[in-house]
Amino acid sequence: MLERGEEILIGTKILMKGLGVNKAMIGIENNKPDAIKHMTELAKGYEGIEVYSLKVKYPQGAEKQLIKALINREVPSGKLPIEVGAVVNNAGTAYAVYEAVQKNKPLIERVVTLTGKSVEKPSNFQVRVGTPVTDLVEAAGGSPKDTGKVIGGGPMMGRALLSLDVPVVKGTSGILLMPDEEAHRGVVSNCIRCGKCITVCPMGLEPWLLEKVVMHEDFERAEAEKIMDCIECGSCNYTCPANRELLDYLRVGKSAVGKLMRTRKK
Amino acid sequence: MSLFTISGSPHVHSDTSTKKLMHSVIYAMIPALLVSVYFFGMGAVRVILISVVASMLFEYLIQKYLIKGPATLTDGSAIITGVLLAFNVPSNLPTIIIIIGAFVAIAIGKMSFGGLGKNIFNPALVGRVFLLISFPVQMTSWPVTKPLFAKGLTDAITRPTPLGALKDELKKGDTVQQIMDNGVTFLENGKQVIYRIPSYMDSLLGDMGGSLGEISAIAILIGAIYMFLKKVITWEIPTAYIGSVIIFSGILWMVDPAHYVNPIFHLLTGGLMLGAFFMATDMVTSPMSSKGQLVFGLGAGILTILIRVFGAYPEGVSFAILIMNAFVPLIDLRFKPKRFGEVAKK
């Protein structure tokens, strides 16, 4: 945002025209005051675009949560944001739109963050889609010896990669190298019904209950308890004092319920 | 090249753990523990030590030889049960009765359901109520309080609890005001003794007869604030519990102040504070959602006053919490958290 602010705003303007709307809001979390200041300054030159500072909160970037934070409307279960009159796009998308429309450049490049506790030179790289991840790691000073886990994406929602011999794809936002000591999960113990998973769930679900229901393969109940609303943010798993693998079970349940819903439609 | 560890997200974990939560509860019990030692002396130390050691021993043996699972002693929950059980009995309780209580609490109250997290009822209260019903005499003889190192008094002298004295006298037909002014007169070794109802200040600090941990409202509040800051307990249950006790006893008091004591007396005497902050909030045996916890606290408050005022026992906190424990699965079924996006439909 600091480097490509102007381009993002132009991209936003193009998106607004395409959608036929006259108001756009840019939400930035308030732990990035320089970005907020910079964008607010720049946005003055663009009619209908306003920059909003948001409280730091996870998960904020998920579209339903972002809509709630910005215009205080809740997207109903199973519906799309347009239901409440909103469309959400990433800053990266706005930039890509700018490049595609103004520069006639298709999406062949993206910015990838390479970081990790033991990484020598954590950096952002602008690379072509298809660049091997190994090359990025080399450019950042090589793979640290203690690396035990490699994550494509962020620590909460990213996917663990089996090896570095994979290319950057259009969805690769970052590569995180984790030391081996942090790569393993804790020992699972009994649920102590503390209710922390309910408190943190941004969708108002009961992860402890869904876990139990999925364990018993009662997928109809899981569906009734709105398992499909789960956005897989991982907050429940993160906060569980008993180290329970809540999100794993929720994923299993979601895929089973999805199958159930598809067969019902036929 | 070597392959990396793979697993589903999230790849990080907060630094909470069951062990840390349990240890916070143990720290939170320290103020009440110190007050009990101050007022009941070595008797309190003895009861607490026996209760904790016996609870830990039973948990260890059952986990190792009956359940044959991984050791659970380190999570600290057996210590909590032990201390809470000790908090709920008088300081002159015979050793063997304490051990029986610890056995019932751990073996029947907790381990028979499958251990920590699976139990339906608060283990310490299961032990306490079992003892109260089985050993009513020993469980209701309350040594008089005396500051530590004070001379001349022994555990042999017992006095009623404020709630017990009040209940007995009300049955005899006295009014609340008469009891508060004149105290309670009874015969001891042929001599007439007057027991005076403690002042609010005494009950706030802990200078009154009762179980070990329940006497000092202030010590319990300090522990509760600590637990609240550590996010071990949430505001819902204590607020709903104490709030409903105040409202319900307040209604009775306003209708007939001669025969029903005021809400402050209910609040400061007996085990209400201990129950509301340490036992009703036990996460294993309370509802999960915020709404459910409010209902749980409300029910416990109403039951407590019902038992105290109309029941056979002077004290109703343990029964009220145990009864509400039984309703938790139903409460969880009925009171769900507000799902995201639910506002639109009515």
Side-chain angles (χ1 to χ4, degrees):
Chain A
M1 274 196 173
L2 288 174
E3 287 162 29
R4 309 269 160 79
E6 203 80 36
E7 288 89 332
I8 290 172
L9 287 169
I10 295 169
T12 311
K13 242 349 204 188
I14 297 167
L15 281 169
M16 286 164 70
K17 199 169 175 192
L19 289 164
V21 296
N22 46 29
K23 191 171 178 190
M25 301 163 111
I26 299 178
I28 308 173
E29 289 190 318
N30 58 13
N31 61 348
K32 303 165 195 85
D34 45 347
I36 295 172
K37 206 171 149 219
H38 182 71
M39 290 304 280
T40 314
E41 206 54 46
L42 284 180
K44 278 179 188 155
Y46 296 84
E47 206 198 320
I49 303 182
E50 271 178 71
V51 176
Y52 287 83
S53 150
L54 301 173
K55 250 198 331 209
V56 180
K57 189 176 160 193
Y58 178 85
Q60 184 88 270
E63 55 186 13
K64 288 185 177 181
Q65 276 65 37
L66 192 60
I67 291 170
K68 167 94 177 155
L70 283 174
I71 56 176
N72 198 23
R73 289 183 203 160
E74 291 192 6
V75 181
S77 166
K79 296 286 169 47
L80 293 170
I82 196 72
E83 197 83 12
V84 294
V87 172
V88 178
N89 276 300
N90 275 322
T93 308
Y95 180 70
V97 166
Y98 158 81
E99 289 219 307
V101 176
Q102 303 286 74
K103 300 280 163 79
N104 287 325
K105 191 170 144 196
L107 185 66
I108 52 167
E109 276 178 356
R110 73 162 298 153
V111 176
V112 178
T113 308
L114 196 131
T115 185
K117 226 178 214 171
S118 325
V119 173
E120 213 172 293
K121 290 178 284 181
S123 5
N124 292 323
F125 298 105
Q126 183 171 19
V127 295
R128 290 274 175 97
V129 169
T131 311
V133 170
T134 35
D135 287 7
L136 296 182
V137 176
E138 281 312 310
S143 173
K145 273 211 181 63
D146 62 356
T147 303
K149 201 181 209 178
V150 178
I151 297 156
M156 290 295 277
M157 291 188 71
R159 270 167 195 275
L161 304 177
L162 200 56
S163 87
L164 291 174
D165 289 323
V166 288
V168 168
V169 292
K170 68 174 182 187
T172 311
S173 57
I175 301 287
L176 177 64
L177 305 182
M178 282 178 102
D180 194 49
E181 65 210 49
E182 290 175 18
H184 305 283
R185 288 178 170 180
V187 183
V188 176
S189 54
N190 282 352
C191 168
I192 53 167
R193 300 177 39 89
C194 63
K196 283 187 196 293
C197 53
I198 295 180
T199 315
V200 296
C201 181
M203 301 305 292
L205 305 177
E206 295 163 284
W208 70 278
L209 178 69
L210 292 169
E211 184 204 28
K212 221 182 240 179
V213 171
V214 171
M215 272 180 176
H216 292 136
E217 302 189 0
D218 184 355
F219 298 121
E220 257 119 39
R221 173 89 190 273
E223 191 188 353
E225 299 285 356
K226 304 271 188 223
I227 193 170
M228 296 311 269
D229 282 359
C230 169
I231 57 167
E232 303 186 24
C233 64
S235 299
C236 49
N237 228 114
Y238 174 81
T239 194
C240 180
N243 280 317
R244 298 197 71 78
E245 289 148 339
L246 295 163
L247 186 49
D248 289 5
Y249 282 98
L250 279 160
R251 284 205 189 94
V252 170
K254 282 177 79 175
S255 95
V257 171
K259 233 179 256 170
L260 210 71
M261 288 164 82
R262 279 194 296 279
T263 49
R264 204 179 300 146
K265 239 173 232 171
K266 273 175 200 163
Chain B
M1 81 178 278
S2 65
L3 299 177
F4 299 114
T5 309
I6 54 166
S7 63
S9 65
H11 305 285
V12 283
H13 194 270
S14 61
D15 65 347
T16 54
S17 69
T18 304
K19 199 172 161 175
K20 277 189 187 161
L21 289 179
M22 296 298 163
H23 286 185
S24 304
V25 178
I26 295 174
Y27 300 142
M29 293 190 294
I30 289 175
L33 194 148
L34 292 178
V35 170
S36 73
V37 172
Y38 180 76
F39 281 117
F40 295 119
M42 289 317 287
V45 176
R46 183 186 64 95
V47 173
I48 293 167
L49 269 183
I50 294 169
S51 175
V52 170
V53 171
S55 297
M56 291 175 78
L57 188 72
F58 288 131
E59 164 134 354
Y60 173 77
L61 292 176
I62 291 170
Q63 185 70 16
K64 187 160 183 193
Y65 295 106
L66 284 177
I67 296 183
K68 298 191 173 75
T72 51
L73 209 50
T74 46
D75 66 27
S77 64
I79 303 176
I80 296 178
T81 303
V83 178
L84 278 182
L85 179 68
F87 274 10
N88 275 294
V89 298
S91 65
N92 60 351
L93 198 65
T95 304
I96 183 70
I97 296 183
I98 306 171
I99 295 177
I100 293 172
F103 176 78
V104 173
I106 294 288
I108 297 173
K110 185 164 118 187
M111 303 310 275
S112 66
F113 292 96
L116 179 66
K118 307 274 174 82
N119 49 303
I120 301 170
F121 300 103
N122 186 317
L125 286 178
V126 171
R128 196 246 160 175
V129 166
F130 180 86
L131 293 183
L132 183 64
I133 295 169
S134 313
F135 307 97
V137 177
Q138 290 89 334
M139 281 294 285
T140 50
S141 79
W142 313 99
V144 64
T145 53
K146 52 160 190 200
L148 199 61
F149 309 122
K151 283 178 192 155
L153 292 166
T154 62
D155 278 0
I157 300 175
T158 58
R159 290 286 178 273
T161 62
L163 275 174
L166 187 77
K167 185 143 198 164
D168 286 345
E169 292 305 300
L170 281 174
K171 267 188 212 152
K172 286 180 197 158
D174 290 1
T175 63
V176 172
Q177 197 54 45
Q178 283 171 327
I179 301 165
M180 292 286 178
D181 291 344
N182 307 331
V184 180
T185 321
F186 59 96
L187 284 175
E188 192 177 65
N189 304 329
K191 273 188 282 181
Q192 246 194 8
V193 182
I194 296 175
Y195 170 77
R196 294 218 175 262
I197 301 284
S199 69
Y200 293 140
M201 194 34 106
D202 282 345
S203 6
L204 205 57
L205 292 174
D207 196 359
M208 64 171 181
S211 298
L212 287 187
E214 69 185 21
I215 50 173
S216 170
I218 292 221
I220 291 165
L221 275 178
I222 293 171
I225 290 168
Y226 176 78
M227 285 199 292
F228 189 75
L229 294 177
K230 284 274 173 186
K231 294 189 177 164
V232 181
I233 59 171
T234 50
W235 62 271
E236 284 92 346
I237 294 175
T239 313
Y241 194 164
I242 293 173
S244 67
V245 163
I246 292 176
I247 292 170
F248 196 46
S249 64
I251 292 172
L252 291 174
W253 176 61
M254 280 193 288
V255 170
D256 185 1
H259 293 100
Y260 300 106
V261 75
N262 65 52
I264 300 170
F265 186 81
H266 275 294
L267 204 59
L268 294 178
T269 58
L272 180 64
M273 288 297 212
L274 182 67
F277 288 109
F278 281 89
M279 285 173 313
T281 53
D282 171 22
M283 40 184 72
V284 177
T285 55
S286 60
M288 294 285 227
S289 71
S290 168
K291 271 179 274 176
Q293 291 174 354
L294 288 174
V295 173
F296 178 85
L298 191 79
I302 291 174
L303 283 172
T304 300
I305 294 301
L306 273 179
I307 297 170
R308 277 186 180 182
V309 176
F310 303 108
Y313 284 100
E315 175 57 310
V317 170
S318 334
F319 292 107
I321 295 174
L322 284 177
I323 291 168
M324 289 315 289
N325 283 165
F327 281 105
V328 165
L330 284 177
I331 295 175
D332 272 343
L333 212 56
R334 174 63 186 82
F335 296 94
K336 299 278 177 192
K338 194 186 85 60
R339 311 283 193 216
F340 189 90
E342 227 177 16
V343 262
K345 70 164 193 254
K346 277 269 160 73

